[in-house]
Amino acid sequence: MSTMHRFKTLGAADDMDFEIGELGQTVFQVLNGQTPSIFHARRPHKKSRAGCTTCKKRRVKCDETKPSCMRCQRYGASCSYFPVASGKSQNAYKAASFWRPNSTTFSLSLKNIETGIEAILKSDSGFAPNLIEPNSSHSISIIAFQHFINCSTETVGNPSIRGVMKSDMIRVSFASPYLMYTILAVGTLHLNRISPDNKMRQYAETYFWQRAIKLYQAALSSNVTRQNVDHLISTCMFMGIGTLCPEDIKPTDSWVLSDRPGAMNWLCLQSGLKCIIDLAGPYLDTSIWGSAFQQTHKEEVQLYDQGVQQGREGLNPDLADLCGVDEFTTAETNPYYKPLRVLASIFGLERNFENSAQCATFMGRLENDFVALLRIRDPPALLILAQWMGLMCTLSHWQPWIEGRARAECIAICMYLEHSTDFRVLRLLQSSASACGYSSPNGTLLGAGC
């Protein structure tokens, strides 16, 4: 499945105007024959009164599984539930065009929110008004803002991080032009991947990213303080998304197969959050992210701190051999060791939505010495990265933001390494090639290890 199609099937309720046949559902036909119809008593069944918003809009039965029903999981759709209500309050929820995840931020009317967005953007001297969606009474800003909250945040697998994004981060954005621009850029990017060929929105995406980056860079030139720490952390968390899912990315765009200096920037950008958090250390206890970061740290300690800090135990033996890992190897003596340990941990996780988010953090954990090996196309380092990219291809149902980049880069690594004369390399490359859908034209990967 292409990157574009995968994003297309991800959309929230407002973005699911697709033909039934495209989603793979049964299409019933009315036959005009002479055979009289036969009445069949309807089987007793339980009505879905508290189903997700996506199933309700499409008028299909929801199994009410949380956090994501099986139907939405099957089609890669965003799944969300309104609070259970009855009578007039239930009608109010049905009539609402804007989901209000936080009472403080969204107690305002939609028009007031639009006014608030415009007010914070006008504090930027480079603000360009009149970005209006064709055939809509609302600006692209409010459409992108709404889409970000309703749909884009639903692709974030970690519930504690997702919760902050939907509430406190939104509140903070009304006081930070570069954070607001970043939110609008992500929302517009997501909309453009779901529904391409909208020239005005494409222009808006470019404009939002341009202003976000410019203002963010200016903010980074100042000190991190208690007043701006939430703005900087929140913005940094999204800054790499644009490079993770560019339009029409091809394997030949990869740094592995090209000599373009900036072709590897997408990977380097993923480590930016570590730098911001180091600088923000004294203020994290009062940050909106403090509690969420503490929770994710506990989960990571439980996952990665298994008491094994030396040797080959638990590692892929072939990969350990290729990377020169023996029973005395540690992270201090071998640049491959830490990535191998992280890889072994995430490969042991159950394949589900929440764990897919944990798997995605691999690229942000890479140290400078390992990235330096990738830059010179070191085969063992490339193999480790390809193993992770192959894993992300199998998790693309839950991680559509990463899938396009990961698949293209994984294919590029396969194309580069398939000419290796080391049968260990070819054997290890097979699983990644299979996961990303690469078929070796000369058959070198098909019989590797035979």
Side-chain angles (χ1 to χ4, degrees):
M1 182 179 293
S2 67
T3 306
M4 191 64 66
H5 181 71
R6 190 165 299 283
F7 267 105
K8 190 173 183 181
T9 59
L10 174 72
D14 292 339
D15 302 305
M16 293 193 66
D17 297 325
F18 307 122
E19 296 180 1
I20 296 297
E22 180 182 353
L23 292 177
Q25 293 182 332
T26 303
V27 178
F28 295 95
Q29 297 179 343
V30 178
L31 303 179
N32 294 322
Q34 301 299 318
T35 305
S37 60
I38 302 174
F39 173 76
H40 294 281
R42 190 180 184 188
R43 292 181 297 176
H45 67 287
K46 176 185 176 182
K47 291 186 177 180
S48 174
R49 299 187 183 277
C52 73
T53 56
T54 303
C55 290
K56 284 182 177 180
K57 178 171 182 176
R58 295 183 55 248
R59 297 182 181 180
V60 295
K61 183 174 175 58
C62 178
D63 60 22
E64 301 177 23
T65 301
K66 295 183 179 180
S68 179
C69 72
M70 295 304 295
R71 189 178 294 274
C72 286
Q73 288 186 41
R74 178 181 177 188
Y75 298 126
S78 175
C79 187
S80 61
Y81 293 83
F82 283 127
V84 177
S86 59
K88 293 182 179 179
S89 61
Q90 185 179 41
N91 292 332
Y93 280 120
K94 288 182 178 180
S97 62
F98 195 86
W99 181 36
R100 296 166 289 180
N102 177 271
S103 58
T104 301
T105 307
F106 296 105
S107 59
L108 304 173
S109 67
L110 190 60
K111 183 61 180 177
N112 285 340
I113 292 176
E114 189 167 14
T115 302
I117 293 174
E118 186 173 319
I120 188 61
L121 295 185
K122 280 184 175 179
S123 65
D124 166 35
S125 59
F127 173 62
N130 301 323
L131 292 174
I132 305 298
E133 176 79 2
N135 304 318
S136 173
S137 59
H138 294 296
S139 66
I140 291 180
S141 297
I142 191 64
I143 293 172
F145 185 80
Q146 179 180 357
H147 186 83
F148 173 86
I149 299 170
N150 287 354
C151 187
S152 302
T153 55
E154 289 300 314
T155 65
V156 178
N158 187 292
S160 56
I161 299 295
R162 185 171 63 246
V164 177
M165 287 181 179
K166 284 179 170 289
S167 55
D168 288 331
M169 190 189 79
I170 297 300
R171 171 178 54 78
V172 168
S173 71
F174 282 90
S176 172
Y178 57 86
L179 175 55
M180 179 61 77
Y181 274 126
T182 302
I183 288 173
L184 299 181
V186 173
T188 312
L189 180 150
H190 197 181
L191 278 167
N192 285 338
R193 300 307 182 270
I194 292 170
S195 180
D197 301 324
N198 184 315
K199 299 299 183 183
M200 178 58 76
R201 278 211 309 256
Q202 290 173 355
Y203 167 77
E205 179 189 338
T206 302
Y207 166 71
F208 290 146
W209 279 122
Q210 181 189 56
R211 298 309 303 165
I213 293 171
K214 184 177 180 63
L215 296 178
Y216 178 59
Q217 287 176 333
L220 287 175
S221 64
S222 303
N223 294 329
V224 178
T225 66
R226 195 176 300 277
Q227 288 69 40
N228 67 11
V229 63
D230 292 332
H231 309 166
L232 292 172
I233 291 176
S234 301
T235 302
C236 184
M237 294 176 75
F238 293 103
M239 266 297 158
I241 285 183
T243 61
L244 277 178
C245 50
E247 290 187 278
D248 303 322
I249 182 172
K250 303 179 293 294
T252 50
D253 296 327
S254 171
W255 91 94
V256 181
L257 299 178
S258 72
D259 293 320
R260 291 185 295 112
M264 199 179 175
N265 285 352
W266 71 272
L267 186 59
C268 300
L269 279 173
Q270 310 312 315
S271 300
L273 186 59
K274 291 191 298 184
C275 300
I276 295 294
I277 290 178
D278 288 342
L279 295 172
Y283 314 113
L284 284 179
D285 57 335
T286 58
S287 168
I288 61 173
W289 295 103
S291 178
F293 284 173
Q294 287 180 1
Q295 179 60 36
T296 55
H297 178 69
K298 291 179 182 178
E299 295 169 359
E300 290 169 358
V301 168
Q302 185 176 2
L303 174 62
Y304 300 117
D305 189 9
Q306 303 296 327
V308 181
Q309 300 178 354
Q310 176 178 307
R312 298 163 54 95
E313 181 183 352
L315 301 181
N316 181 311
D318 288 339
L319 203 51
D321 286 342
L322 192 66
C323 295
V325 176
D326 58 29
E327 62 269 27
F328 303 108
T329 301
T330 66
E332 287 70 32
T333 62
N334 188 312
Y336 308 111
Y337 193 75
K338 187 175 179 180
L340 283 173
R341 279 288 168 209
V342 175
L343 199 64
S345 296
I346 61 178
F347 261 91
L349 293 174
E350 179 185 352
R351 303 293 190 264
N352 58 38
F353 176 51
E354 190 168 336
N355 285 341
S356 70
Q358 186 62 251
C359 295
T361 66
F362 174 84
M363 57 185 167
R365 298 176 182 278
L366 301 179
E367 303 292 345
N368 291 336
D369 54 355
F370 184 80
V371 174
L373 291 171
L374 290 173
R375 195 177 296 278
I376 63 173
R377 303 178 180 93
D378 173 69
L382 289 177
L383 273 172
I384 292 173
L385 189 62
Q387 292 276 316
W388 171 74
M389 289 175 172
L391 173 63
M392 295 313 300
C393 288
T394 67
L395 300 175
S396 59
H397 178 77
W398 295 293
Q399 294 294 320
W401 297 100
I402 300 174
E403 188 264 348
R405 170 68 74 175
R407 191 176 300 276
E409 298 282 356
C410 190
I411 291 174
I413 293 175
C414 290
M415 293 170 67
Y416 181 78
L417 291 180
E418 69 176 338
H419 304 292
S420 173
T421 57
D422 189 331
F423 282 105
R424 296 176 302 174
V425 171
L426 299 178
R427 186 166 59 247
L428 288 166
L429 202 58
Q430 279 187 299
S431 60
S432 299
S434 176
C436 70
Y438 178 67
S439 298
S440 177
N442 55 17
T444 54
L445 295 181
L446 299 178
C450 295

